[in-house]
Amino acid sequence: MQQFDPNIPGLIEGNVTTVVVLDPANTFPPFEVGNHVLNRDDAFQIKVEWKITGLLRPLWLSALGGNWNVQVFAESIGGGPEILLAADNSVAADPATSDYAVTLNVPPSTLDEGDPGSQTSGIYKLVVSVFLNSNLGQPGFDMTGFNEGPIIQVENPN
């Protein structure tokens, strides 16, 4: 499920268009292949893309300025942790563009693998947020978008 605020059709709209988990073992330049089963001991990346459209987009982004705060959370299905996997605030809110992208790095051993003998499932749903803060006062002019999914499984290949 994907949501964005504000969402005023034709004037200012947003969409988190891509959330892909990239396993370094499965990259084939120039293509990046998504993966949903990851080795706990390996780092991986999450590619996030979003788009802002509408007649007010240039004005809105000019007024806000600053950088997007992009975060990826992992929510365990069954037993396991619910944590912030990665964050990035390096993407500028450029009023001259409508397309944004960032690749976030997740270090090895961040998520627990599934263990049939315990309550830890090793299965996680990823939730992405993109947020642009506003200091313009009332009403709130912040921009935020969310995307639910994909679901991944963490395992030990041994």
Side-chain angles (χ1 to χ4, degrees):
M1 177 166 67
Q2 176 306 113
Q3 303 171 8
F4 217 95
D5 182 47
N7 185 20
I8 306 168
L11 295 179
I12 186 82
E13 299 175 80
N15 188 10
V16 178
T17 57
T18 302
V19 178
V20 178
V21 177
L22 302 172
D23 182 344
N26 286 330
T27 57
F28 303 96
F31 307 105
E32 295 173 328
V33 177
N35 195 2
H36 294 275
V37 179
L38 302 168
N39 181 342
R40 170 179 161 63
D41 298 328
D42 292 341
F44 63 95
Q45 297 178 318
I46 301 169
K47 183 176 183 176
V48 178
E49 296 176 350
W50 66 103
K51 183 177 193 82
I52 308 298
T53 59
L55 294 173
L56 295 178
R57 179 192 51 79
L59 178 62
W60 201 292
L61 294 175
S62 291
L64 294 183
N67 288 355
W68 290 94
N69 180 352
V70 181
Q71 299 180 91
V72 178
F73 296 88
E75 179 180 351
S76 65
I77 297 176
E82 296 181 4
I83 63 170
L84 173 64
L85 278 183
D88 183 285
N89 64 353
S90 66
V91 178
D94 182 356
T97 188
S98 60
D99 297 302
Y100 298 92
V102 67
T103 300
L104 299 115
N105 297 304
V106 180
S109 304
T110 301
L111 294 171
D112 295 333
E113 66 181 312
D115 182 357
S118 76
Q119 296 294 318
T120 304
S121 70
I123 299 172
Y124 302 89
K125 177 172 53 174
L126 302 185
V127 176
V128 172
S129 72
V130 297
F131 178 74
L132 186 59
N133 194 28
S134 167
N135 296 317
L136 296 178
Q138 297 296 326
F141 291 96
D142 297 338
M143 296 187 81
T144 190
F146 303 97
N147 186 297
E148 237 182 12
I151 295 175
I152 61 171
Q153 182 163 353
V154 177
E155 57 94 29
N156 184 343
N158 297 329

